[in-house]
Amino acid sequence: MATITAAMVKDLRETTGVGMMDCKQALAENGGDMEAAIDWLRKKGLSKAAKKSGRIAAEGLIGALTHGTRGVVVEVNSETDFVARNEQFQGLVKMIAQVALKVGADVEKIKAAPVGDVTVERAIQDAIATIGENMTLRRAASLEVTSGVVASYVHNAVVEGAGKMGVIVALESAGKTDELATLGRQIAMHVAATNPQALDSAGLDPAAVTREKDVLSDKYRQQGKPENVIEKIVESGLKTYYKEVCLLEQAFIHDNAKSVAQAVKEAEGRIGAPVKITGFVRYALGEGIDRQESDFAAEVAAASGKK
């Protein structure tokens, strides 16, 4: 029996773009023969998926799923919005979220996790071969509390638990679970609407705070303000900045007369115990992906032989 080395698996993966476990199996089934392994993958329909792996997938769905004290959010991309309306793709996203709830948010662990007789990675490859578009599990995140709830909200949902934006929020509390869940969903909706950068000022990227300070300082320095006055103005300006970007300091969208922190404090009476927001995750579909822009008119002209 031929010895299948890691280098052989790596070479086949780089050649075909197919997952590592499938490459290993292909080589084992074909006695380590590279060409035969490639043909074997083609016969399985996996090389069809590999050919599509270079195409940009910036559409798709965000899946959010919670269970008691745990919650996950995942982004699964496709090439077109049309596929996001495909029931098979929707089921794939929900299945991936369910797996992530069990194994955690590490993308490679999710891909390697079994679902029935195959892995998640193989299930994605099979969906690519069937539907005919590139798909990728781009990212995943999870939150967990010792006591309390993790709540979720999906914006522009196309099916329960999956849409164009997903938010999970973790609330630590020993209070009433149903009341906590209601508050958590309201806060998740708030996060979807306002896109806070951090829970509080301590959680902000120091570089972002420094940049804000520099902008404010330069603004008033150009106006001829003395340095001691600028220092006080910047301090005041940062307080305003924190109210704009820190969740706890933002005006609550459900009652903008209160901050989120004040709304949480007020809700403690109904919940019957102190409440602490320990974290949140907000995924918007395709954020950060460089999309290829096409000039449709130019494409039509090129196809007709015109310039």
Side-chain angles (χ1 to χ4, degrees), residues 234-247:
V234 168
E235 186 177 336
S236 176
L238 282 178
K239 289 180 181 178
T240 301
Y241 171 66
Y242 295 151
K243 288 179 181 179
E244 293 172 352
V245 301
C246 297
L247 174 60

Side-chain angles (χ1 to χ4, degrees), residues 163-187:
K164 300 299 183 182
M165 181 186 295
V167 177
I168 53 175
V169 176
L171 302 179
E172 188 84 47
S173 178
K176 300 174 186 174
T177 302
D178 55 344
E179 292 287 353
L180 269 175
T182 298
L183 176 63
R185 179 172 171 78
Q186 289 179 337
I187 295 171

